[in-house]
Amino acid sequence: MEGHLLSWIVFLPVIGMILVLLTPNPRSVRYVSVATTVATFFVSLLMFQGFIGPDEGAVFGARYGALHFVERANWITAGNFKIEYFLGADGLNFPLVILTTLIAMLAAVASWNIEKAPKAYHALFLLLETGMLGVFLALDFFLFYIFWEVMLLPMYFLIGVWGAPSRREAGVIRGGPYAAIKFFLYTLLGSILMLVVMLAFYFKSADALGGAGTFDLIAMATSEQIQQAFNDPTALFLGAKFGLVMFIFLYVAFAIKVPVFPFHTWLPDAHVEAPTPISMILAGVLLKMGAYGLFRISVPILPEYATYCAVGLAVLGLINIIYGALCAMAQTDFKKLVAYSSISHMGYVLLGLAAMTEAGFNGAMFQVLAHGISSPMCFFLVGVIYDRAHHRDINRFGGLWLTMPSYGSLATLGFFASLGLPGLCGFIGEVYVLLGTYQSSVLGAYAKPFAIIAALGAILTAGYILWMIQRVYLGGQRDEYAAFPDTTGREVFVLVPMAVLAIFLGVLPQYTFDLMDGTLRNILAIFG
């Protein structure tokens, strides 16, 4: 296993999917699914051996940091194309792989009460996990794209089939099928733009190298010949600068996933209509793919145009922060409030990236991980109470902490982590983004005003989170909820790991920074 560790991590869920399909008893598929995600999580923990202690056995890419557990072989060589099976782990994707396997395991446990076609549900769930892990570990652009598309179809069915039934509200059709179609069309638009960029990069790299092109993402970021060709201001595509068009196409593809205004409208519908475990996956992992794509592909491969567009990216990040917070404040649907909160928090990621400082990069990636813990926790907390009350109307709740003390305590911790309370995970990333933005030379005269506006977003976040806690958890006990049972053992099993990590990341963030810092420094060094 050691020589092919990353392949085992990526394809263990597929093995589990096959076992699920072969399991004759529909009730047993839950055990197979959970066991597969548990095995995948523990296998992924073996990656720590490459990131703790000396860098023996690491493969170094010029100015781009260390790659560990590299697996590389020719995959498709027909014609002039050279497509490789190229996997590798560094400080950028390693924490995201651990996050993915953890959230997938917890979401599988959260899926225990799915009664509708459990065999199909869990088979698609495990295929989705393989797609997500492949996106993070693939270092060949073609392979990256394949896994990106593999992830799309299972999520479409998981939202459309197992989400809320179709209904008409105020003359508008809502429900899982509607949200699934919206998700699919948005993501497909991004996929088409990414496909154009991938082919354009290949042919442009062929011109630069004087022979066959490459899909190697590391080579694209580190080869001087390829960099000169991609960032050549005289090179044109569709009548405009080649690098600028490529950067915009990639930005749209990844911004849809983050999501960034105005490509965000699919997210609230998808979250509200999806079953709770799929909302956990959406918030904890899928949104992170957009941020990862910007850090892995857009910024290091097209640094000239990343710098050129920095102010525009920062403005869009600020819009996300303020607009998302204001929308969250206006919600009466508990789940929709958390969905808009995600939009607001992911704005800090884009702002930190646009700052192009060490603090900004570290803060953005820390925020990716922190949000990947706090947001799934919040969605599961909403799901716990929805399973009992069968509604999500914030104004109808009240006094739940008295009725369900264990649940109320975990809920307070989860939502305070989302709020950004010092000592919990949400605080560190946001503060580092603000510091990085304030000292950004790329943003110039806009740096300090942008940092101040982003800080106002934290005040808005505190406003809607505290208001929600007051309406849902505080106050007198209501008779209609007095008989609600407190958290079950299964629910505690899902919530406690995320609660522990929220505290750990908030109290001891340096361990996480140490894992990411080397790779982020080397990406930043590409900007000179």
Side-chain angles (χ1 to χ4, degrees):
M1 179 181 290
E2 187 172 338
H4 300 282
L5 177 61
L6 301 189
S7 291
W8 277 105
I9 292 170
V10 171
F11 293 108
L12 259 179
V14 170
I15 297 173
M17 179 190 73
I18 295 171
L19 293 176
V20 162
L21 294 174
L22 294 177
T23 301
N25 186 349
R27 294 185 177 181
S28 299
V29 301
R30 298 181 178 90
Y31 293 98
V32 177
S33 178
V34 171
T36 301
T37 58
V38 170
T40 306
F41 171 66
F42 280 102
V43 171
S44 71
L45 294 180
L46 297 176
M47 295 173 66
F48 273 99
Q49 63 185 316
F51 294 88
I52 297 176
D55 284 330
E56 296 177 5
V59 179
F60 289 90
R63 300 184 301 142
Y64 202 57
L67 290 177
H68 301 264
F69 312 110
V70 173
E71 299 178 36
R72 193 164 194 170
N74 289 333
W75 179 30
I76 303 173
T77 56
N80 293 324
F81 291 94
K82 181 184 178 183
I83 302 170
E84 294 182 295
Y85 178 76
F86 182 15
L87 304 180
D90 61 8
L92 190 61
N93 57 11
F94 163 59
L96 292 170
V97 170
I98 302 298
L99 175 69
T100 301
T101 57
L102 172 65
I103 298 301
M105 178 180 70
L106 299 178
V109 176
S111 301
W112 197 263
N113 58 357
I114 296 291
E115 299 292 341
K116 180 180 180 181
K119 180 178 287 192
Y121 173 90
H122 286 282
L124 289 169
F125 182 92
L126 292 171
L127 180 61
L128 174 65
E129 184 178 9
T130 281
M132 296 185 300
L133 290 168
V135 166
F136 290 132
L137 290 172
L139 296 177
D140 179 279
F141 204 165
F142 192 94
L143 186 62
F144 176 95
Y145 184 80
I146 292 295
F147 282 120
W148 187 276
E149 293 301 292
V150 165
M151 170 274 304
L152 175 59
L153 202 59
M155 183 57 77
Y156 168 78
F157 285 112
L158 289 168
I159 297 173
V161 177
W162 285 272
S166 294
R167 63 192 185 279
R168 185 176 291 273
E169 292 181 356
V172 179
I173 296 176
R174 299 293 184 190
Y178 166 80
I181 291 173
K182 197 171 183 180
F183 163 80
F184 190 92
L185 292 177
Y186 268 81
T187 305
L188 187 62
L189 169 63
S191 298
I192 292 171
L193 294 177
M194 192 190 305
L195 178 62
V196 172
V197 174
M198 181 180 71
L199 295 176
F201 275 1
Y202 182 85
F203 290 115
K204 181 63 72 173
S205 67
D207 294 338
L209 299 174
T214 183
F215 291 106
D216 183 341
L217 293 173
I218 304 299
M220 290 181 188
T222 58
S223 168
E224 292 186 7
Q225 293 169 295
I226 295 176
Q227 281 285 294
Q228 288 175 0
F230 285 1
N231 293 277
D232 182 1
T234 64
L236 300 179
F237 186 87
L238 299 177
K241 293 181 180 180
F242 173 86
L244 181 60
V245 175
M246 296 300 105
F247 186 86
I248 292 173
F249 280 12
L250 283 173
Y251 169 77
V252 173
F254 296 134
I256 289 171
K257 270 290 190 290
V258 170
V260 180
F261 178 90
F263 308 109
H264 67 286
T265 58
W266 65 269
L267 182 68
D269 288 314
H271 270 313
V272 168
E273 308 302 344
T276 296
I278 304 308
S279 289
M280 293 172 65
I281 293 290
L282 271 170
V285 183
L286 257 73
L287 305 191
K288 312 306 175 277
M289 290 182 179
Y292 174 75
L294 291 170
F295 272 101
R296 173 66 76 193
I297 301 176
S298 301
V299 170
I301 293 177
L302 297 166
E304 298 288 338
Y305 295 98
T307 305
Y308 178 79
C309 297
V311 173
L313 297 179
V315 169
L316 291 168
L318 290 174
I319 292 174
N320 254 46
I321 293 169
I322 303 300
Y323 170 78
L326 291 174
C327 287
M329 190 174 289
Q331 302 308 313
T332 57
D333 185 306
F334 203 169
K335 203 173 186 184
K336 191 170 283 189
L337 180 147
V338 180
Y340 277 109
S341 174
S342 289
I343 294 173
S344 179
H345 287 122
M346 291 303 288
Y348 287 99
V349 175
L350 187 60
L351 179 61
L353 182 144
M356 297 182 189
T357 58
E358 186 175 338
F361 272 23
N362 275 285
M365 281 306 300
F366 196 96
Q367 178 73 354
V368 165
L369 298 174
H371 184 265
I373 296 298
S374 63
S375 190
M377 186 177 181
C378 291
F379 276 111
F380 186 73
L381 287 164
V382 175
V384 167
I385 199 64
Y386 179 76
D387 288 342
R388 291 158 172 76
H390 305 294
H391 73 84
R392 296 188 299 263
D393 188 347
I394 294 174
N395 294 322
R396 291 174 57 186
F397 289 120
L400 289 182
W401 205 335
L402 297 175
T403 304
M404 306 165 64
S406 297
Y407 168 77
S409 300
L410 288 168
T412 302
L413 190 150
F415 285 109
F416 275 0
S418 179
L419 180 152
L421 186 73
L424 297 175
C425 59
F427 175 73
I428 303 296
E430 291 180 7
V431 167
Y432 263 72
V433 167
L434 294 177
L435 293 173
T437 302
Y438 192 86
Q439 64 186 16
S440 173
S441 59
V442 173
L443 297 179
Y446 300 104
K448 293 178 176 60
F450 284 0
I452 293 170
I453 294 172
L456 294 176
I459 298 174
L460 294 176
T461 301
Y464 68 75
I465 292 290
L466 293 174
W467 191 29
M468 178 275 297
I469 289 175
Q470 182 183 17
R471 288 183 290 171
V472 175
Y473 299 106
L474 303 182
Q477 189 178 54
R478 297 196 179 189
D479 293 338
E480 59 183 310
Y481 306 129
F484 280 3
D486 210 342
T487 46
T488 64
R490 179 179 63 87
E491 291 164 347
V492 169
F493 179 86
V494 175
L495 288 168
V496 166
M498 292 185 284
V500 170
L501 280 173
I503 296 170
F504 174 78
L505 290 176
V507 175
L508 297 171
Q510 191 59 46
Y511 288 100
T512 305
F513 282 131
D514 287 344
L515 293 175
M516 304 184 299
D517 187 62
T519 302
L520 293 177
R521 281 174 183 259
N522 286 305
I523 294 175
L524 195 61
I526 293 175
F527 294 87

